[in-house]
Amino acid sequence: MLPTSSSTKARPGSHAAWPNTFLPQYLRRIVKWQQMDIEYTFWQMLLLCTSPKVVYQHTKYHKQTKNQWARDDPAFVVVCSLLLAISTIAYCAAYDHSAEHAAFVVISVLLFHFFITGAVVAALCWFVTNNYLREEVPDSHVVEQRVEWLYAFDVHCNSFFPMFALLYVVHYFLSPLLVAHGFVPVLLSNLLFMAAISYYHYLNFLGYDVLPFLERTTLFLYPIGVVIVLSPILILSGFNPSRYFMNMYFSRLL
């Protein structure tokens, strides 16, 4: 009689074994700069702003070669965090006069704008895709596929970078105009935020649409319609998102 105990053990590379083997290795590589592919990361960042579909075409190649959808290189997260910290320091240099408050702003932006928000969005998308958007597989011999949580976080990071370029870099240079009073600053600020948030959700859609075992991924495009509907209302009401968010950190200067 064949032994049955091996059937309960996770095979190498299986979904059950992945959290115990891959994630610690991923975290260890964060502190080893020489093991990160920085050049490839900047190439991806450029394409996310110009040709995002190419990035997700390479995601398919990564699945074929590494047998996982998520990145095994934390370079994108590290570089994005550094760029976000630098841009926040630039804001503090222009609008803040307290080193202690500037340190608080940098840490809070990194934690809440990127990591915590990203973790929450990734967890929500991971839950929705795995529970409601996966295709039914009638053939019991087909291996069941699921969205990896780290891949969901990768999708957030990919979607976040163009939004970062618009709302942290372009916004920085336009901020003297955007935080001013009047209709033109309100209009430009709302258009900038509308473009950034809409592009974020478009890239979110691309990230899940590339997975062959998901269906009804157009669900991720629905927030764009909400943004388009709300933007004229906010403009007509005189709401300026630039002043609102800048006042959260630099209220004494505005």
Side-chain angles (χ1 to χ4, degrees):
M1 186 173 184
L2 293 176
T4 57
S5 59
S6 62
S7 62
T8 60
K9 295 181 180 180
R11 298 186 304 273
S14 69
H15 179 74
W18 177 80
N20 296 324
T21 58
F22 174 70
L23 192 57
Q25 178 185 357
Y26 181 89
L27 295 176
R28 283 196 298 269
R29 292 185 65 179
I30 290 180
V31 296
K32 296 181 179 180
W33 185 268
Q34 66 276 12
Q35 294 186 5
M36 301 184 194
D37 194 341
I38 305 301
E39 182 178 352
Y40 180 67
T41 295
F42 280 112
W43 176 81
Q44 283 188 314
M45 288 178 169
L46 176 62
L47 285 180
L48 286 169
C49 298
T50 56
S51 303
K53 291 184 179 180
V54 177
V55 175
Y56 285 111
Q57 185 64 42
H58 280 259
T59 300
K60 292 182 179 180
Y61 302 150
H62 186 271
K63 171 63 176 177
Q64 295 169 0
T65 57
K66 299 295 183 69
N67 195 31
Q68 65 187 40
W69 292 100
R71 294 188 182 99
D72 57 351
D73 185 354
F76 196 99
V77 175
V78 173
V79 172
C80 198
S81 300
L82 290 175
L83 293 176
L84 183 58
I86 292 171
S87 68
T88 307
I89 291 172
Y91 274 97
C92 293
Y95 293 97
D96 207 343
H97 299 303
S98 169
E100 293 80 6
H101 185 256
F104 165 78
V105 171
V106 173
I107 294 173
S108 62
V109 166
L110 281 174
L111 286 179
F112 292 101
H113 290 205
F114 185 49
F115 286 107
I116 295 179
T117 301
V120 171
V121 171
L124 179 61
C125 294
W126 171 81
F127 176 81
V128 170
T129 52
N130 283 324
N131 288 279
Y132 301 105
L133 301 184
R134 285 191 303 146
E135 291 182 343
E136 296 294 333
V137 182
D139 188 352
S140 60
H141 298 287
V142 177
V143 177
E144 183 183 50
Q145 298 190 72
R146 298 179 63 87
V147 178
E148 306 153 5
W149 184 90
L150 193 58
Y151 178 77
F153 188 73
D154 281 344
V155 172
H156 160 73
C157 293
N158 291 344
S159 304
F160 179 85
F161 180 75
M163 186 169 68
F164 157 79
L166 288 174
L167 296 186
Y168 291 84
V169 180
V170 174
H171 186 279
Y172 173 78
F173 293 103
L174 296 179
S175 58
L177 170 62
L178 297 177
V179 299
H181 294 280
F183 176 76
V184 173
V186 170
L187 175 64
L188 294 178
S189 179
N190 276 280
L191 290 177
L192 184 62
F193 273 78
M194 180 183 71
I197 296 173
S198 297
Y199 198 64
Y200 175 91
H201 287 289
Y202 171 68
L203 291 187
N204 221 34
F205 158 73
L206 290 182
Y208 295 104
D209 189 58
V210 76
L211 302 181
F213 55 91
L214 295 183
E215 58 184 3
R216 303 187 304 276
T217 53
T218 52
L219 172 71
F220 294 101
L221 293 175
Y222 292 172
I224 298 177
V226 176
V227 171
I228 294 175
V229 170
L230 286 180
S231 292
I233 299 174
L234 296 177
I235 292 172
L236 294 176
S237 66
F239 175 75
N240 188 329
S242 295
R243 288 188 62 85
Y244 175 81
F245 287 107
M246 292 285 284
N247 272 314
M248 290 177 59
Y249 296 105
F250 311 112
S251 57
R252 291 179 300 174
L253 303 177
L254 296 177

